[in-house]
Amino acid sequence: QMRLKSLGKHSTLTDDRMKALQNIGFVFEAHKTVWEQRIAELIAFKQIHGHCNVPTEYADNPPLGVWLKGQKRQYNLHMKGC
């Protein structure tokens, strides 16, 4: 519904409903929020360890290792022109 609304199409997500969701802390851009959280975690990792080579199965923060593996995969695809 948010996408339809942003495209100017009919949506059941009225301005009042959107405001109500925002007032309770609803996150419309979850992907962006997760990305920002992971980059902050990576910065903290680098401050502690002096590098960004997070193991895929990093016991202290498993999602960080998996996320970084995905970022590397996306980078490689981008470099190949995919």
Side-chain angles (χ1 to χ4, degrees):
Q1 292 300 313
M2 179 69 174
R3 182 171 172 86
L4 290 173
K5 185 172 182 62
S6 69
L7 294 172
K9 297 185 178 183
H10 173 72
S11 171
T12 58
L13 184 60
T14 64
D15 290 341
D16 289 339
R17 289 177 178 181
M18 195 163 126
K19 190 172 186 174
L21 289 168
Q22 289 170 331
N23 286 342
I24 61 169
F26 184 82
V27 177
F28 286 97
E29 296 181 30
H31 181 77
K32 179 181 176 183
T33 302
V34 169
W35 198 92
E36 290 171 350
Q37 177 184 348
R38 294 290 177 258
I39 197 73
E41 292 169 355
L42 181 58
I43 290 167
F45 178 93
K46 184 176 181 187
Q47 288 174 341
I48 294 167
H49 300 283
H51 60 79
C52 293
N53 300 322
V54 180
T56 302
E57 296 181 12
Y58 181 48
D60 291 346
N61 187 345
L64 178 60
V66 173
W67 176 81
L68 191 57
K69 180 180 178 182
Q71 297 305 304
K72 290 176 182 178
R73 184 179 335 106
Q74 292 299 317
Y75 171 80
N76 289 329
L77 288 171
H78 174 74
M79 294 306 291
K80 290 180 182 177
C82 297

